[in-house]
Amino acid sequence: MRADQVSSDSLPSVGSLRSAVILSCAGTRLTPREAILFARLKPAGVFLFKRNCRTPEQLARLVREIRQVAGPGPAGPGPTGDDILIGIDQEGGRVARMRPPAWRSLPAPGWLRDVPRRHRERAARAHARRTVAMLRPAGINANATPLLDLAIPGADAIIGDRALGDTVRDVVDLARIIHEEHLAGGVLPIIKHLPGHGRVMGDPHDRAIRITADHRTLVREDFAPFRAFADAPAGLVGHPIYPVIDPHKPASLSSAVIERWIRQEIGFTGLLISDDLAMGALRGPMARRVQASLAAGCDLALYCRGRLVVMENIGQAAPVLTGAALDRFNRAMALLR
C-alpha cells in the first residue's frame, strides 16, 4: 500500500497544531508509516535530499503526498497551499539535491567571486532565478540559501567555493540579490550559518569543531553579514563551538550563543532553525538533541537522515510550535501567500 492509498481515517492527528521539527523522508515516495507519522506529528516542515529527487514529475508527486498527509496548519493553507515548509539545500555546485540529467546544473555560489564586478549583479540574479525556476514547479517553497559565511584563507573546504566572498561587502551585496530573487519567486530563503561558520577548521558533519577567534574579530568580520540580514525571515544556526562565549556547547544547543549573540548582538528577528541534528558534531540520543536545541532558543529542530524509527522517537519528544516561535513561523510563511 502506497502513501496515497492510506485512508485519512487511519491517520491519527494531534489536530491543526504543528510540531517544532523539520523532518525528512527516506525515498522517492512516502511509505505508509511515514505518512502516518507526518499526519500525526504535523511537522512544521520537511526537507528534501538527493535520495528524494529522481525526476520533476516524481518530486512534485512526493511533495503533494507530504502536503496531503501533513494537512493544513493552524491558519489553514494560503492561496498557494503554503502551510508547511518544504525545504531543500539547492545552492549550486556540490550542494545541490536536484541534479542532472533531470535538472539543470548550476555552479557553486563562489563562482560569482570570479565574475567581473560590473557583471556580478546580473550573474547573481540569473543564478537565483534559475534555481527558483527548478524549485517552485516541484512545490518546494524554501531553500537554505544564501550562505553568509565569509571565505577565510586556510579554513576548511566545507565552506570553500560556497562562500560569496571574502569581504563583508561582497557577501552582503550578492546575498541580498539571491535573497530578493527567492522571495520574488515564492521561495523562502534561509540564511546560513548563524552566527558565522566560515572560520571552521574541520567539518561539523564529522566531528565537533571549535572556532577560536576572539570576540572582537567575530563581531567585526563573521557577524557582520548576518547583522545586515537581521530582519531576514528565516535563518539556520550551525554547530561550531565558540569557546569565547560557551566552551562546552555547539551554537545550535547553546542559549548563550543564540540569545546573546544571534538574537541580541546580531539582532536576528526571524525564524531560527537548527542545522541538521544528525551531524557528527553532536552527541546523544536524537530526541535529546531536539529538546536541547529548542530549549537553547531554536524555533525549529532539523533532522535530515529520514530514519523512521528515529523520527518516531523525535515525535515523542517534540513539543508543539507555540508562542514567539509560532509567530516567527507564521510571519515567514506569510511571505509565500
Side-chain angles (χ1 to χ4, degrees), residues 100-247:
W103 291 277
R104 180 175 186 169
S105 178
L106 294 175
W111 156 78
L112 292 165
R113 306 200 305 253
D114 298 324
V115 174
R117 193 170 293 276
R118 66 183 181 278
H119 298 309
R120 281 187 191 174
E121 178 178 350
R122 184 173 63 182
R125 289 197 186 280
H127 190 285
R129 287 172 181 171
R130 288 166 183 162
T131 301
V132 170
M134 289 191 287
L135 304 185
R136 280 309 291 175
I140 296 169
N141 61 14
N143 190 11
T145 190
L147 185 141
L148 301 185
D149 305 317
L150 293 173
I152 303 292
D156 189 87
I158 186 62
I159 297 300
D161 65 355
R162 300 166 64 194
L164 290 166
D166 55 8
T167 69
V168 172
R169 176 185 174 185
D170 284 347
V171 169
V172 170
D173 287 350
L174 290 171
R176 187 72 66 192
I177 294 166
I178 295 168
H179 199 271
E180 289 173 355
E181 291 296 338
H182 274 72
L183 280 176
V187 175
L188 182 73
I190 304 173
I191 64 171
K192 61 186 183 187
H193 305 82
L194 286 150
H197 201 304
R199 219 171 280 277
V200 292
M201 299 303 291
D203 187 348
H205 289 85
D206 302 326
R207 60 186 177 86
I209 302 296
R210 292 176 177 267
I211 291 180
T212 57
D214 61 84
H215 184 240
R216 183 175 181 180
T217 299
L218 291 169
V219 170
R220 184 178 66 249
E221 299 177 15
D222 303 57
F223 294 0
F226 294 95
R227 280 200 304 273
F229 282 80
D231 60 350
L236 196 77
V237 57
H239 298 320
I241 296 171
Y242 299 82
V244 70
I245 189 169
D246 189 335

Side-chain angles (χ1 to χ4, degrees), residues 65-122:
E65 289 176 353
I66 293 169
R67 291 185 186 279
Q68 176 187 359
V69 300
T80 61
D82 287 313
D83 55 298
I84 181 172
L85 189 154
I86 306 292
I88 199 165
D89 281 299
Q90 193 72 18
E91 298 175 11
R94 56 196 163 100
V95 181
R97 314 311 185 192
M98 302 160 71
R99 291 181 170 271
W103 291 277
R104 180 175 186 169
S105 178
L106 294 175
W111 156 78
L112 292 165
R113 306 200 305 253
D114 298 324
V115 174
R117 193 170 293 276
R118 66 183 181 278
H119 298 309
R120 281 187 191 174
E121 178 178 350
R122 184 173 63 182

Side-chain angles (χ1 to χ4, degrees), residues 20-21 277 285-295 301 303 314 317-319:
V21 292
L277 294 174
M286 191 57 59
R288 191 178 301 166
R289 299 184 200 186
V290 168
Q291 291 173 331
S293 68
L294 297 174
Y303 172 72
I314 289 172

